[in-house]
Every structure is written in C-alpha cells, then in structure tokens.
Amino acid sequence: MQELEDRIVAEGTVRPGEVVKVDSFLNHQCDVTLFDHMGAEWAAHFAGRPVNKILTIEASGIGIACVAARHFDDVPVVFAKKAQSINLDGDQYCTSVYSYTKQQAYPIILSKRFLGPSDHVLIIDDFMANGKAMQGLLELCEEAHAHVEGIGIAIEKGFQGGGDALRDEGYDVDSLAIIDEIRDDGTLVFRH
Amino acid sequence: MQELEDRIVAEGTVRPGEVVKVDSFLNHQCDVTLFDHMGAEWAAHFAGRPVNKILTIEASGIGIACVAARHFDDVPVVFAKKAQSINLDGDQYCTSVYSYTKQQAYPIILSKRFLGPSDHVLIIDDFMANGKAMQGLLELCEEAHAHVEGIGIAIEKGFQGGGDALRDEGYDVDSLAIIDEIRDDGTLVFRH
C-alpha cells in the first residue's frame, strides 16, 4: 500500500535492534484517516470471505481494528488482553506469547463468550515480526474452534520470517507494507 | 443517550463492589456501530469547540476514540500508555494514577512529540468512576500546556463523584450514560 509505505519512509525511524518506530501515525498517535484507508484495502483483499468478527490484541491493534471493522459491515471487534497471570476459572481462553523484547512469556486471555465455532475471524494487528503474538491469537482461535478467514497486518518485517511461515501454513496474510531489508544506512527495502 | 442506556440494561451485569460489566459491547468486545453513534453524540455536544486532537488511555479507550475521531474531522488520536516504570529520559510526559482496584499507583506516559501548547484536546474514555485516571490525563495536558476543550465519557458512575467534581472545576464533561445508583436488586438508576 503506497500511502502506508510513504508514511513509513517519511516519519518512521530505525532504532538499534532493527526496530522501526512509527509512533507518530500507527501505535501511539493514530491517524484515523490512514486507518480507514487500511480498512478499505483489507476489505478489498478479503472480499467474499464470510468475516463476522475481527480479532486483535491490546493495545495498538484496537484502534486499527475498530476503524477497519466499518469496512466489514460493522462486525464486532474483540481484543485479547494481556493478563497479569493465568486465570484458570474456565471462562476464558488463555495462551502465552513469548516476547523477545522482554525475554519472557506473558499470558493473553479472551472471554469464551466472544469467540466460538460459529465465528469466521479476520485477525488484525499493527505489526508482525517473528509472528509470536499472531501465533498466540491463532491458538485462541483454535481453542475456540473458530474459523480464521485471514490475517491483516499493517507493517510486516519480512526479514524476520513470521509472515512467510504463516503463508506456508496456508494462511491468507495481507500485510499492507512488508519491509524485507533494513540497510546499514537506515534505508528500508519494501517487498513488491 | 438512550441507545447506550438500553444496551447497559440489556447486556450489563452488576458485580460485587458496584462493578458494572459491559464487556460484550464496550471494553472487550467492541460494537463499532454503537461507537460511531457515540462519536456523533459527542460531536453534537462539543460542536464549535476547536478540537484538533483526541486524547485517551489504553486499552479500552482507544477503539472508542478512533471511531469517534471520524466525527471530528479525523483529528489525530493519541493514547497515554500504562508504563512499567517511570521513564526519566525527558522525552515523555509522565504522571501516576492511583488504582483502587489494584490498591496501587501505576505510571502513565505520553510522548512529548504528540501533545503541546497548540493542542485543543477532547479527552475520551470508556468509564469514569472516581475520576483518578482522568485526573492523570488532565495532568498530562497541564504538563503539555495543552488546552482541554472537553471530556467525553461513555459511562459515568455518578455516585462515585468523579464527574461532578470535574464539572465543579469548570470542565465540560459529556457522559453519555450516568449511573446515579445501583439498587440492591441490581437495578440501575440513570441520571436524566
């Protein structure tokens, strides 16, 4: 998506550890016009899929998912919560996600009332790198026996392999900007 | 707002400690059509105010704020983050919010790049009870010398006093549903 790539180039900054910071429009300050255009792109890509729910994870995914949902007949958005601890009361789906940044796993939870076998889910998130968070969301869908119709990502760090691994598994992953390389001078190389 | 009150009555549940749980449409699963109608209500109430930014706090406020922003000429949304620890690098506004639920204070932060003296801010959040989180957001605005044009809340627990205290201070607080009493049988009494 040209508009998104242009914004990444214009406003993104590369930090040590191949971190691409885009907090001026994506995940701290939110450009809702851009979010709307992103929603339109995913709606075109996933046209014909019987999506009846959008799943995301707090916090950065929520705004994008809620604006994008308007392009999918206003289907409900449900977001997985990062929990303090595993809750074993049986009302929640639960799995854990390993974070390389924090070098530890954290639990994510989702109420069983909001995802089940009748759901056809589009998963949306702001970033995909190694795909660990997405793996967690897919595990929640599996636990719920929900059908995953597709995965919509704003920015995929292609060189970290998470997206391609999911494509190899048969998932329809639509990333609106895929960064395949960060050169030593900070130049970003996009996949086209 | 009748639509919101109806949903609270139909789907909300009252939990011990006067907790009103509305996670089927407001803060775990998100009804984006309702969010859109809420945005229209705030836009009518705050019409004429020169709002150029919406401020909220993660996580539940983000979806509501992003959908509502579409009714305010797509102004940017910025959300305060709940931080692990106070960051003293000088790039961020920072304050702390006392949580009665957790019986402890947690820091909230906001990048200085996204709020400043030229900003006319509408603060949006899903809930207001004693108003401690809102106090934190107001402190961030004060630190930034930003002008607070108003406060839009989905559900205010009127009996906990946070909203009325802010009105007494002169803030324009538009809560779309104000619960003034939770009777022993669980009946909710709304302010009209």
Side-chain angles (χ1 to χ4, degrees):
Chain A
M1 180 186 179
Q2 196 59 47
E3 182 186 0
L4 181 58
E5 291 182 11
D6 290 346
R7 289 294 289 276
I8 297 168
V9 169
E11 298 178 39
T13 52
V14 177
R15 298 291 176 92
E18 297 186 316
V19 170
V20 180
K21 209 171 168 183
V22 286
D23 60 359
S24 65
F25 59 92
L26 198 71
N27 47 22
H28 186 8
Q29 185 164 252
C30 305
D31 181 334
V32 298
T33 309
L34 175 65
F35 288 8
D36 181 55
H37 298 170
M38 287 161 51
E41 288 274 333
W42 286 319
H45 181 91
F46 295 108
R49 301 263 191 178
V51 174
N52 69 348
K53 193 157 288 185
I54 291 177
L55 173 66
T56 188
I57 183 166
E58 68 177 15
S60 318
I62 301 173
I64 300 166
C66 283
V67 173
R70 312 234 55 210
H71 291 276
F72 289 86
D73 293 328
D74 279 0
V75 295
V77 171
V78 62
F79 60 88
K81 297 183 181 191
K82 293 171 182 169
Q84 298 290 325
S85 55
I86 301 278
N87 177 327
L88 296 170
D89 70 1
D91 295 340
Q92 298 169 327
Y93 304 116
C94 184
T95 188
S96 70
V97 170
Y98 185 79
S99 163
Y100 279 100
T101 321
K102 295 177 185 165
Q103 295 278 315
Q104 62 176 30
Y106 59 91
I108 62 170
I109 57 173
L110 187 72
S111 170
K112 289 189 175 174
R113 287 177 295 140
F114 306 136
L115 198 66
S118 63
D119 282 320
H120 291 256
V121 178
L122 172 63
I123 307 179
I124 283 182
D125 207 0
D126 58 335
F127 258 96
M128 181 146 63
N130 52 53
K132 293 290 175 194
M134 187 53 60
Q135 224 164 62
L137 292 174
L138 289 166
E139 280 165 22
L140 296 180
C141 289
E142 197 176 356
E143 238 190 298
H145 301 287
H147 189 85
V148 177
E149 292 291 339
I151 297 171
I153 299 292
I155 303 176
E156 177 183 333
K157 290 160 86 176
F159 57 89
Q160 291 191 246
D164 290 333
L166 290 169
R167 289 181 188 98
D168 287 345
E169 287 179 48
Y171 289 104
D172 185 357
V173 182
D174 186 33
S175 297
L176 302 181
I178 303 179
I179 300 169
D180 265 342
E181 189 191 346
I182 301 178
R183 296 212 176 115
D184 288 342
D185 65 357
T187 306
L188 304 175
V189 181
F190 292 99
R191 185 184 303 181
H192 287 123
Chain B
M1 180 186 179
Q2 195 60 45
E3 181 185 2
L4 181 58
E5 292 182 11
D6 290 347
R7 291 294 288 276
I8 298 168
V9 169
E11 298 178 38
T13 52
V14 176
R15 298 290 175 92
E18 297 185 316
V19 170
V20 180
K21 209 169 167 183
V22 287
D23 58 359
S24 65
F25 60 91
L26 198 71
N27 47 22
H28 187 8
Q29 186 164 252
C30 306
D31 181 335
V32 298
T33 310
L34 176 66
F35 289 7
D36 180 55
H37 298 170
M38 288 161 51
E41 288 274 332
W42 286 319
H45 181 91
F46 295 109
R49 300 264 191 177
V51 173
N52 70 346
K53 193 155 287 184
I54 291 177
L55 172 66
T56 186
I57 182 166
E58 68 176 13
S60 319
I62 300 173
I64 300 168
C66 283
V67 173
R70 311 233 56 211
H71 291 274
F72 289 86
D73 293 327
D74 279 0
V75 295
V77 171
V78 62
F79 59 89
K81 298 184 179 190
K82 293 170 182 169
Q84 298 291 326
S85 56
I86 300 279
N87 178 326
L88 296 170
D89 70 1
D91 295 338
Q92 299 168 325
Y93 304 117
C94 182
T95 188
S96 70
V97 170
Y98 185 80
S99 162
Y100 279 100
T101 321
K102 295 176 185 165
Q103 295 279 315
Q104 61 177 31
Y106 59 92
I108 62 170
I109 56 171
L110 187 73
S111 169
K112 289 189 175 175
R113 286 177 296 139
F114 307 136
L115 197 67
S118 63
D119 281 321
H120 291 256
V121 178
L122 172 63
I123 307 179
I124 283 183
D125 208 359
D126 59 334
F127 258 96
M128 180 148 60
N130 53 52
K132 294 289 175 192
M134 188 54 60
Q135 227 164 60
L137 292 174
L138 289 167
E139 281 165 21
L140 296 180
C141 289
E142 197 175 356
E143 237 190 300
H145 300 287
H147 189 84
V148 177
E149 292 292 338
I151 298 171
I153 298 292
I155 303 176
E156 177 182 333
K157 292 161 85 176
F159 57 89
Q160 291 191 245
D164 289 334
L166 290 170
R167 290 181 189 100
D168 287 346
E169 286 179 49
Y171 289 104
D172 184 356
V173 182
D174 186 33
S175 298
L176 303 180
I178 303 179
I179 300 170
D180 265 342
E181 190 190 345
I182 301 178
R183 296 211 176 116
D184 289 342
D185 66 356
T187 307
L188 303 176
V189 181
F190 293 98
R191 186 186 301 182
H192 287 122

